[in-house]
Amino acid sequence: MGKLFSLSVADNGGNREGDVVTWACNDMAFTVTTSRPFRARCSIALTAFLLLFSSFAVEAPAGTFEEEVSAPLTPSFSVGAKIRYLFKSHTSYEFGDPYFPYQEQLSRLEFPLDTWWAGLDMRLRFRRFSVGLEALTSVKQNAHGEAEDSDWESGPDDKTTYSTSQMRVAPSYMVRFDADLEVSDWLGLPGWLKIKPLGGIRYQRFNLVNHDGIQYDLTGASGNALLPGESIRFKQTYWHYFVGLRSVIDLSRPTGIPSLTLDLQADWAYVEGMNEDNHLQRAGRRFTYEDTYGEAWHFSMGLKKELGKGFSIGLDGDYLTISTTGNHRLLNRTFGMDMSFSNGVRVWSDQVSLALTLEYRF
């Protein structure tokens, strides 16, 4: 049994050590092991789903459709170099007042994600199913747009403080593992249309640094204040456990362009989110943390054209929306502060992107 993918995550303080996802495979079975209880439960469901794939691959009789599809009799492997640009994208969080009258909107922070990413997209294809791994890292840069920090200290309709800052993207990562199953022949669909249920795990790790900003006192009680240097270090992790449908449509006949396909995908995910926010210019060592849970919807559409000699090129658009709620913790050991609450705690993100992939199939 050969290991395909192993990932371990821990913050700088060593917290959450043991967040490990490992996938192993042989020709017909996949297993998942994790260290966290919920991931273990997800592993059972995903393992059953993938074992179902393999049983179908063994037991399903070959039909006319299988004679027409382009999937090879023996497994094939492809690897693609990918660049992705996120635009009109952000990740944000807010929390309320833990004290009476429990105002739900007390503070909100918004971080732009309009950035470049680069990496690899790999896929191992069998006759009945395939498994894929995408791994991207951020390109060192300032994000397009400004980070925003807003406070409502006099009531939900009265913003009292507002600041903007430049934001640098420190090394950040996006990883996706998925498996899909070919079912078009079982549904009696025409040869130009493929439908594939799929499941997998999507991981995002953002490391963001606000710097060189300005803070506005909207009450007029004091003047505006410059925020030179770094002001906030923000770390965020999302784990998505998703299921959905993938479709491949052959456009060669209607367009007259050979080897041209339209790829569509829609999936829903259960999401775990974890934030760490270090306000560097506050007194003491001030940290806030959020542990949240919720859902995500993801949609993508792309065109792919084979170029010959194993090469193909693809262009795709992608939309991902995340919404979670949970708990907020304020920690400042210098002043003996350590409190947690859930009032008004919300973490959400919208991510729109375009990607270009140059792929080679062995």
Side-chain angles (χ1 to χ4, degrees):
M1 184 171 287
K3 183 186 293 183
L4 284 184
F5 171 55
S6 179
L7 173 66
S8 178
V9 183
D11 62 23
N12 287 341
N15 297 321
R16 300 189 183 101
E17 211 166 13
D19 286 358
V20 179
V21 174
T22 303
W23 296 83
C25 80
N26 56 27
D27 286 342
M28 290 298 175
F30 298 80
T31 61
V32 187
T33 59
T34 72
S35 62
R36 301 189 63 185
F38 179 76
R39 290 192 187 131
R41 293 196 294 272
C42 287
S43 298
I44 295 172
L46 287 173
T47 302
F49 189 53
L50 294 170
L51 287 174
L52 183 62
F53 278 15
S54 59
S55 66
F56 283 153
V58 172
E59 298 172 7
T64 303
F65 178 86
E66 291 194 9
E67 297 173 359
E68 298 174 355
V69 296
S70 58
L73 292 173
T74 57
S76 67
F77 176 71
S78 64
V79 59
K82 174 173 284 190
I83 56 172
R84 182 177 295 278
Y85 181 68
L86 273 69
F87 61 97
K88 294 185 176 180
S89 301
H90 72 93
T91 190
S92 307
Y93 80 93
E94 66 182 16
F95 57 89
D97 193 338
Y99 303 110
F100 184 82
Y102 306 110
Q103 176 182 318
E104 288 199 355
Q105 183 176 270
L106 179 64
S107 184
R108 176 187 297 166
L109 292 94
E110 302 167 87
F111 302 89
L113 291 178
D114 294 5
T115 49
W116 287 96
W117 299 72
L120 297 177
D121 191 352
M122 298 170 283
R123 183 157 293 274
L124 181 62
R125 296 175 177 85
F126 299 86
R127 189 168 185 83
R128 176 58 68 179
F129 65 94
S130 70
V131 293
L133 174 66
E134 179 186 84
L136 304 178
T137 185
S138 60
V139 177
K140 187 176 182 180
Q141 61 188 304
N142 267 3
H144 180 72
E146 293 181 316
E148 301 176 64
D149 187 347
S150 305
D151 296 319
W152 290 263
E153 296 175 327
S154 299
D157 300 319
D158 188 11
K159 185 184 292 189
T160 55
T161 308
Y162 175 71
S163 65
T164 61
S165 303
Q166 300 297 307
M167 196 197 78
R168 182 173 70 254
V169 181
S172 300
Y173 309 96
M174 298 183 185
V175 180
R176 186 206 69 239
F177 178 88
D178 71 82
D180 63 32
L181 173 69
E182 175 62 71
V183 298
S184 303
D185 53 334
W186 300 340
L187 300 176
L189 299 178
W192 52 267
L193 175 62
K194 300 178 184 178
I195 299 292
K196 304 178 180 182
L198 78 155
I201 295 176
R202 185 182 296 114
Y203 165 83
Q204 296 183 315
R205 171 73 170 187
F206 300 123
N207 295 303
L208 312 175
V209 181
N210 291 5
H211 63 93
D212 300 315
I214 184 170
Q215 179 173 288
Y216 303 92
D217 182 353
L218 303 182
T219 67
S222 60
N224 302 331
L226 294 177
L227 303 172
E230 296 183 358
S231 56
I232 293 177
R233 285 185 173 271
F234 181 67
K235 301 175 184 179
Q236 183 177 65
T237 301
Y238 287 120
W239 285 95
H240 307 230
Y241 308 92
F242 65 88
V243 292
L245 286 175
R246 176 177 289 151
S247 177
V248 181
I249 302 173
D250 187 353
L251 297 181
S252 300
R253 185 172 298 176
T255 63
I257 302 175
S259 303
L260 178 67
T261 58
L262 173 66
D263 298 339
L264 304 172
Q265 181 174 321
D267 58 77
W268 173 89
Y270 176 87
V271 177
E272 293 179 341
M274 292 163 281
N275 295 351
E276 178 188 290
D277 184 331
N278 183 7
H279 273 56
L280 300 170
Q281 299 190 13
R282 296 286 184 91
R285 286 177 51 81
R286 184 184 183 278
F287 289 85
T288 60
Y289 302 92
E290 284 77 35
D291 287 291
T292 58
Y293 309 89
E295 65 178 359
W297 286 95
H298 167 249
F299 306 94
S300 67
M301 178 173 64
L303 291 172
K304 184 176 181 179
K305 175 72 174 69
E306 292 185 9
L307 303 176
K309 296 184 178 180
F311 287 96
S312 62
I313 191 168
L315 176 67
D316 67 84
D318 199 275
Y319 174 67
L320 175 66
T321 181
I322 305 167
S323 178
T324 66
T325 58
N327 296 313
H328 172 89
R329 181 188 181 195
L330 170 61
L331 177 66
N332 193 331
R333 290 194 172 96
T334 304
F335 301 108
M337 297 177 62
D338 189 351
M339 62 181 300
S340 299
F341 58 90
S342 60
N343 183 49
V345 177
R346 184 167 74 102
V347 179
W348 73 102
S349 179
D350 290 304
Q351 301 170 29
V352 183
S353 66
L354 289 174
L356 183 67
T357 306
L358 180 62
E359 178 184 286
Y360 179 76
R361 181 180 292 195
F362 295 89

